[in-house]
Amino acid sequence: MWRFMGGRFSRSTRCISSSSRAFGWWEHVSPAPKDPITGVTEAFLADTNPNKINLGVGAYRDDQGKPVVLQCVRNAEAKIAACEFLESNAAAVGSKLVEESAKLAYGTQAHVVKEGRVAGLQALSGTGACRLFAELQRRFYPGSPIYLPDPTWSNHHNIWRDAQVPERSFRYYNPITKGLDFAALMDDVKTAPDGSFFLFHPCAHNPTGVDPTEEQWREISYQFKVKNHFPFFDMAYQGFATGDLDMDAQAIRIFLEDGHLIGCAQSFAKNMGLYGHRVGCLSVLCADEKQAVAVKSQLQQIARSMYSNPPVHGILLVSTILNDPQTKALWVKEVKVMANRIQLMRATLRERLEDLGSPLDWENITNQVGMFCFSGLTPDQVDRLVREFHIYMTRDGRISIAGVTTSNVSYLASAIHEVTKYDQEASNIYNISI
């Protein structure tokens, strides 16, 4: 250290004890619990068994179990190869992404887009879009909780918790019927304080694969008008429920028709196979253009302090696909192909289980939709699948159908049949006794 003494600088030294040097700033920090989804992948990768199956990943896989680069993405890559916007996230590119994403969610001819009532911002995939909205909610509705479906994607809890937004739950899934608990859902909507925030999955609910019907969505929307609730939609799997992008946005459009102001998180990680590029969009519908400008400015300020700008390459890819009619048409076809493969694997898995003579009802496999099947397997049964068969999934029994292939579906069905034998035998005894 230099000190000014007697008209000149002189150097002084300070003795630091070895004990203080040895003291660690972070000794009080303990390891964080493993994420239930990434933990499955880590365990799968560490397994050397050749028959291992990963049913935890939430991204699409082809029938060889490999990640897919869509042809529409390859075409977009070629178009942007000499792009001039690699220095920064050009405002024009971001605006195009928001505009085209809004059309995907609210409809090509949606009046809210034409009227400039959409406050939108490109985000770091669906997770980033949710996090931006959670922060917006905290800043302008402090103390107001978010109601999350029970169950929901595990990361939703982390996102709103870290934004310091109080969390509540509403009943959604009925484990007995393995379907929607609609009466309980409606009861929770009605009893929540007026003006509450609710999160919904508009299609391909994660983790259950259970979606409300069109009529049920209309009833939910009506009750939201009565209670003046705010609907926030997390749309991570548009196209994977039905194979039709418009059909999978039906819930959002019902709420739009009924005059709701809506929040929507969109992700292109799954339906464009761009998981590693983190491309998403957050949109918030406002009463008029002036309100939209104000909300967007707040979102930009939030994003600025979090990550400044998202990476530009993925935004260029998505913008190119959505803005070029030929490339977009190809994407629509490829989404349908992915959805069809998932539907085929659902039907095949159920068929294999029934062929094995399982007396359990596996109708839920084909009744549920999208990437995930809530199998009904217990944590103990999931543990047995890992231990005895090297089949990995989250302990709540969620199966990623994308991980099921024609080469492993029979092995998977046999393994499930084996670990559910006890339940089958108990069921048979019960049936005999009555």
Side-chain angles (χ1 to χ4, degrees), residues 353-388:
L353 284 163
E354 291 172 346
D355 287 347
L356 289 166
S358 173
L360 295 180
D361 184 359
W362 296 105
E363 216 175 77
N364 61 300
I365 296 176
T366 49
N367 285 347
Q368 296 168 8
V369 296
M371 186 83 74
F372 302 110
C373 169
F374 225 40
S375 64
L377 294 168
T378 67
D380 286 344
Q381 291 166 344
V382 171
D383 290 344
R384 280 193 64 193
L385 286 173
V386 173
R387 188 170 60 250
E388 299 174 25

Side-chain angles (χ1 to χ4, degrees), residues 1 11-15:
M1 178 183 291
R11 190 165 194 161
S12 64
T13 58
R14 180 177 295 171
C15 181

Side-chain angles (χ1 to χ4, degrees), residues 202-213:
C203 64
H205 181 274
N206 179 6
T208 69
V210 173
D211 292 344
T213 65

